[in-house]
Amino acid sequence: MAEFKKADSMLEWFDQRLGVVNFAKVMMTEYWIPKNINFLWAMGVLLTVLFTFLVVSGIFLLMYYKPDANMAFDSVNYTIMQEVAYGWLFRHIHAVGASVVFLIIYIHMFTGIYYGSYKKGREMIWISGMLLFMLFSAEGFSGYMLPWGQMSYWAAYVITEIFGGIPFIGDDLVVWIRGNFYVADATLTRFFMLHVLLIPLAIIGAIVFHFYALRFPHVNNEHGEFFDFDEESKKYLAGDKKHSKVIPFWPVFLSKDVFVLGIFLIFFFYLVFFHYSFAMDPINFDKADGLKTPAHIYPEWYFLWSYEVLRGWFFEIAGISGKDLGLMAFGFANAIFLVIPWLDRSPIVKPANQRPYFKYWFWLMIADLMVLTEFGKLPPTGPNAWVGFGASLTFLVLFIALPFITKAEAGKVKGKK
């Protein structure tokens, strides 16, 4: 057993037992961040704060929510909204946070693609980030069902039906997920368990892994510049802060994050107090009715692009039904971002605007995702169906072409040298 001397302060007492000083150095005061970054690098802190809001508000909602098909709708729309003191506030925070968190996730994700932050040793950062995206998607979908409104019910019916297209086990898998042959009380309680326990625990674990993955290769910067973090940190510690290319996470970088967070919270609470229902469908304020199908079923806005990829294939090709083609395209669309570090075959680590071919690919992808999102909410009839098919096909082609485009880009740059 190690011998402990009498501590002169509370900090020293904890440091002897938990090594808090060294931990603070590793994770904060001597964790170095490049100087040449902009406000887009604050998205990680915004997401952490938003997740905290969702957890805290979710705990308060959990006190009054009834995961029962006969009581869920009333517990949300009457008990919480009208009878519980400040229940409306916690529901507003939770509902707005659920939408805004995906807005920030998409900004964070496309910032990483724009600046090539998944390259040169940062693959695990990207993979852990995409794992978080998948978990948040599962959390968002499971939570969307809990109010037990009309759109919640029928969106759950359509999305769970997707698994029926999986060969051999599809039909049994759908029944297992629903806990019944149709969306019912058993489905609600299963999704409730996933939403309040299993998926949040997985998200917390993935966040820890994501921050751990960031610790070693360090974050990228807006110029894609590589430098020796050890050398630059020595300059900073020696007092040459002007010429050092790095700053400590605490307190310098975090103070910038707090400034961006302050601006963001103004926007967030403006939505909470004045535009709570901006991302909610009016149909979802009607109680779920399995005998009354809405004229047009669609998920929340952050799933619309992948939903349009799914339903964009409405005709048979080479003997394969449109439903099966849509399912394959849907699986491709939701998995392809995970392997983008290996699809981008160019060694260039620069912003997209400094890459001769990739810049066109990037903005075409963004435009295509916007079209998919817009048409994902429209009825798939007439011209809408063909535009959706064209955008779905374009999405697949863009990612199939990416290795060839970036390989050609690498050859062009090498030829110039």
Side-chain angles (χ1 to χ4, degrees), residues 268-279:
F268 178 78
F269 282 105
Y270 170 76
L271 294 177
V272 167
F273 289 112
F274 299 106
H275 290 286
Y276 143 70
S277 59
F278 79 100

Side-chain angles (χ1 to χ4, degrees), residues 25-244:
K25 286 181 179 179
V26 169
M27 299 304 296
M28 298 178 67
T29 59
E30 293 186 12
Y31 173 44
W32 304 100
I33 305 291
K35 266 185 183 177
N36 56 339
I37 55 177
N38 55 45
F39 74 97
L40 293 171
W41 268 260
M43 297 301 110
V45 168
L46 299 191
L47 287 171
T48 304
V49 171
L50 274 174
F51 180 63
T52 304
F53 282 177
L54 288 169
V55 170
V56 173
S57 60
I59 290 171
F60 280 95
L61 295 175
L62 184 60
M63 296 177 186
Y64 301 98
Y65 176 76
K66 304 291 185 183
D68 181 283
N70 295 316
M71 297 187 286
F73 182 83
D74 287 344
S75 71
V76 171
N77 292 281
Y78 295 102
T79 305
I80 291 174
M81 291 296 292
Q82 299 180 28
E83 297 178 0
V84 176
Y86 298 103
W88 62 270
L89 177 60
F90 289 108
R91 191 193 178 192
H92 287 197
I93 291 173
H94 204 73
V96 171
S99 280
V100 174
V101 76
F102 276 95
L103 174 63
I104 303 301
I105 284 173
Y106 283 129
I107 292 173
H108 195 44
M109 177 177 164
F110 294 127
T111 297
I113 296 175
Y114 184 87
Y115 287 102
S117 299
Y118 49 80
K119 306 176 81 169
K120 295 281 182 125
R122 296 189 176 95
E123 294 88 352
M124 290 309 300
I125 300 174
W126 179 260
I127 290 172
S128 60
M130 288 309 303
L131 176 63
L132 272 169
F133 172 66
M134 294 175 183
L135 288 170
F136 268 106
S137 297
E139 180 76 345
F141 172 61
S142 61
Y144 188 55
M145 184 181 176
L146 300 187
W148 207 242
Q150 268 288 72
M151 196 58 73
S152 296
Y153 178 91
W154 287 101
Y157 185 91
V158 170
I159 298 300
T160 53
E161 191 72 18
I162 292 172
F163 295 95
I166 298 175
F168 306 113
I169 63 170
D171 293 338
D172 292 332
L173 186 60
V174 171
V175 174
W176 180 78
I177 291 171
R178 291 176 177 172
N180 206 322
F181 292 100
Y182 54 93
V183 176
D185 186 72
T187 319
L188 178 61
T189 54
R190 287 179 182 221
F191 278 67
F192 175 73
M193 181 278 295
L194 288 172
H195 187 73
V196 304
L197 178 64
L198 197 58
I199 300 176
L201 287 176
I203 287 175
I204 292 169
I207 289 172
V208 172
F209 178 51
H210 191 55
F211 280 115
Y212 178 73
L214 275 168
R215 184 65 183 83
F216 293 97
H218 294 276
V219 297
N220 190 19
N221 56 81
E222 62 182 30
H223 301 309
E225 181 184 1
F226 284 90
F227 47 79
D228 190 327
F229 277 83
D230 291 332
E231 279 299 315
E232 297 303 323
S233 63
K234 287 177 183 176
K235 291 181 188 177
Y236 189 95
L237 292 171
D240 189 10
K241 298 179 181 180
K242 182 178 180 180
H243 295 99
S244 175

Side-chain angles (χ1 to χ4, degrees), residues 148-408:
W148 207 242
Q150 268 288 72
M151 196 58 73
S152 296
Y153 178 91
W154 287 101
Y157 185 91
V158 170
I159 298 300
T160 53
E161 191 72 18
I162 292 172
F163 295 95
I166 298 175
F168 306 113
I169 63 170
D171 293 338
D172 292 332
L173 186 60
V174 171
V175 174
W176 180 78
I177 291 171
R178 291 176 177 172
N180 206 322
F181 292 100
Y182 54 93
V183 176
D185 186 72
T187 319
L188 178 61
T189 54
R190 287 179 182 221
F191 278 67
F192 175 73
M193 181 278 295
L194 288 172
H195 187 73
V196 304
L197 178 64
L198 197 58
I199 300 176
L201 287 176
I203 287 175
I204 292 169
I207 289 172
V208 172
F209 178 51
H210 191 55
F211 280 115
Y212 178 73
L214 275 168
R215 184 65 183 83
F216 293 97
H218 294 276
V219 297
N220 190 19
N221 56 81
E222 62 182 30
H223 301 309
E225 181 184 1
F226 284 90
F227 47 79
D228 190 327
F229 277 83
D230 291 332
E231 279 299 315
E232 297 303 323
S233 63
K234 287 177 183 176
K235 291 181 188 177
Y236 189 95
L237 292 171
D240 189 10
K241 298 179 181 180
K242 182 178 180 180
H243 295 99
S244 175
K245 296 180 179 180
V246 298
I247 53 176
F249 178 79
W250 171 270
V252 184
F253 178 74
L254 196 57
S255 66
K256 297 180 179 181
D257 275 356
V258 170
F259 174 77
V260 177
L261 177 62
I263 301 297
F264 166 76
L265 289 179
I266 295 172
F267 159 75
F268 178 78
F269 282 105
Y270 170 76
L271 294 177
V272 167
F273 289 112
F274 299 106
H275 290 286
Y276 143 70
S277 59
F278 79 100
M280 296 189 70
D281 196 286
I283 297 174
N284 217 36
F285 290 96
D286 296 331
K287 190 173 182 178
D289 185 351
L291 300 177
K292 184 181 178 182
T293 308
H296 178 42
I297 301 169
Y298 49 85
E300 286 280 60
W301 71 267
Y302 38 84
F303 294 136
L304 287 173
W305 69 271
S306 57
Y307 179 63
E308 184 64 13
V309 170
L310 170 71
R311 71 174 192 176
W313 306 77
F314 55 90
F315 50 84
E316 181 180 304
I317 298 178
I320 305 174
S321 69
K323 181 179 178 180
D324 290 338
L325 287 169
L327 182 62
M328 289 187 284
F330 179 79
F332 177 91
N334 283 275
I336 197 63
F337 283 107
L338 192 66
V339 296
I340 200 170
W342 294 275
L343 294 178
D344 187 347
R345 302 176 65 187
S346 172
I348 303 171
V349 184
K350 295 288 183 183
N353 69 311
Q354 296 180 28
R355 298 177 61 178
Y357 300 149
F358 184 79
K359 60 184 176 183
Y360 299 112
W361 180 91
F362 177 83
W363 290 114
L364 277 172
M365 179 197 66
I366 296 296
D368 189 58
L369 286 171
M370 292 174 70
V371 172
L372 287 168
T373 299
E374 179 64 28
F375 280 83
K377 197 171 183 177
L378 300 177
T381 55
N384 293 349
W386 286 104
V387 172
F389 168 71
S392 301
L393 183 62
T394 300
F395 182 86
L396 302 184
V397 170
L398 280 171
F399 277 90
I400 292 170
L402 180 59
F404 304 99
I405 291 171
T406 51
K407 188 69 175 177

